[in-house]
Amino acid sequence: MSVNTLLGRIGLAVGVFLIVSPAILFFLWMISLSVKFEVDNAAFPPVFWPEHFAWKNYTDVLSSNRFFTYFKNSVLVTGGATALAMLVGVPAGYGIARMAAHKSAIVILIARITPGLSYLIPLFLLFQWLGLLGTLWPQIIIHLVVTVPIVIWIMIGYFETTPIELEEAARIDGATRWQVFRHVALPVAKPGLAVAFILAVIFSWNNFVFGIVLAGRETRTLPVAVYNMISFDQLSWGPLAAAALIVTLPVLLLTVFAQRQIVAGLTAGAVKGG
C-alpha cells in the first residue's frame, strides 16, 4: 500500500468520524438520560454512567394507558400513507421515466423540497370544512405530501437505469403496457421498491408538524405524544428521553435490518446504467 493511499484512507476515516461523531454522541447521551434518575440528570458535573439505572423510565412510558393508542395511530398513519404512496408513486415514476417527462420530474422535485408548512394551512382549512379534523384521515392524506414525492423521485431514477430491452421484448410478444409494467418492470425494480418503501416509512413515522396541528387528543401519533410530555412546570428528562428512544426504535431497527436492501437499491441503478 502506497503512502498516498494510506494517507487518503486516514483522511477519509478522520472526515467520517468528524461528521458522524456529533450524531453518535447525541444518541449516546439520549441513552444516558433515559437510564438515569432525575438527580443524576440534574447533577453538575454531568453524570454519563450512573451507579444505579432507572429502568422505571421505560416501564412508565410503556405502561402508560395512552402509549399503545398513540403507537397504533402511528402505525395506521404511516402504513396508510406509505401504502397509498407506493400505489400512486411507483406507476407515476415508471410513466415519467419511460415518457422522459423531464418537466414533470422537475415538478416532483419542487414538491419534494417544498416545506410541508406550505401545504398545511390550505389543507387544514379543507379538512376543517369537511369535518375531518381530529381523525386519522387528515394525517394519512397530508403525509402523502411527504411520501409520494419521495417514492416518485426514487422510482424515476431507478426505472431510467433499468434495461428497456426486456420490456420491448415483452411488447413484441404481445404483452400490454400494464402486463409489461407488472410482470417485467416491477420484478426488476425490487431493490428500488425496497428503498422507496423504507424511506417513505421513515419520513412518515418521524413527521411531527402535521400531527401536532391536525391530530386530536385520541389521534396523536408518537412524535406528538412525546412533545406533549414537555411541561413548563416540570420537565422530567429521564422519561422524555426514554419515550424519544422508544419512538426512534422502530425506524432504527428497520434501517439496520434493511441496510443491505437500501445500499443495493441506491447503487443498483448506477451499476445498470453504466
Side-chain angles (χ1 to χ4, degrees), residues 202-224:
I202 292 174
F203 277 86
S204 179
W205 183 273
N206 291 332
N207 189 275
F208 168 76
V209 176
F210 297 151
I212 197 171
V213 175
L214 299 174
R217 184 176 179 84
E218 297 296 329
T219 56
R220 293 170 181 165
T221 54
L222 282 177
V224 179

Side-chain angles (χ1 to χ4, degrees), residues 100-266:
H102 301 298
K103 291 183 180 179
S104 298
I106 293 175
V107 172
I108 298 301
L109 177 60
I110 293 174
R112 174 67 191 91
I113 63 178
T114 302
L117 288 174
S118 303
Y119 307 98
L120 184 57
I121 296 177
L123 287 176
F124 174 84
L125 296 175
L126 175 62
F127 295 137
Q128 187 179 45
W129 179 69
L130 293 174
L132 294 175
L133 288 181
T135 67
L136 292 177
W137 284 110
Q139 297 183 73
I140 295 175
I141 294 172
I142 203 169
H143 275 219
L144 297 177
V145 172
V146 177
T147 56
V148 170
I150 292 174
V151 173
I152 294 178
W153 187 253
I154 291 175
M155 297 315 299
I156 288 174
Y158 197 86
F159 282 125
E160 283 180 343
T161 56
T162 55
I164 198 173
E165 292 80 10
L166 295 176
E167 299 180 20
E168 292 175 345
R171 292 298 301 273
I172 292 174
D173 291 338
T176 63
R177 175 62 70 181
W178 170 251
Q179 289 173 330
V180 170
F181 170 71
R182 181 180 178 184
H183 299 292
V184 179
L186 285 183
V188 175
K190 282 183 179 180
L193 293 172
V195 174
F197 175 83
I198 293 168
L199 292 182
V201 168
I202 292 174
F203 277 86
S204 179
W205 183 273
N206 291 332
N207 189 275
F208 168 76
V209 176
F210 297 151
I212 197 171
V213 175
L214 299 174
R217 184 176 179 84
E218 297 296 329
T219 56
R220 293 170 181 165
T221 54
L222 282 177
V224 179
V226 172
Y227 170 77
N228 280 277
M229 293 180 63
I230 300 176
S231 170
F232 290 102
D233 298 327
Q234 182 179 4
L235 182 58
S236 299
W237 288 109
L240 182 61
L245 288 173
I246 291 173
V247 173
T248 309
L249 185 61
V251 292
L252 180 63
L253 293 177
L254 177 63
T255 304
V256 170
F257 287 111
Q259 59 180 326
R260 291 185 179 180
Q261 287 79 1
I262 295 175
V263 173
L266 293 176

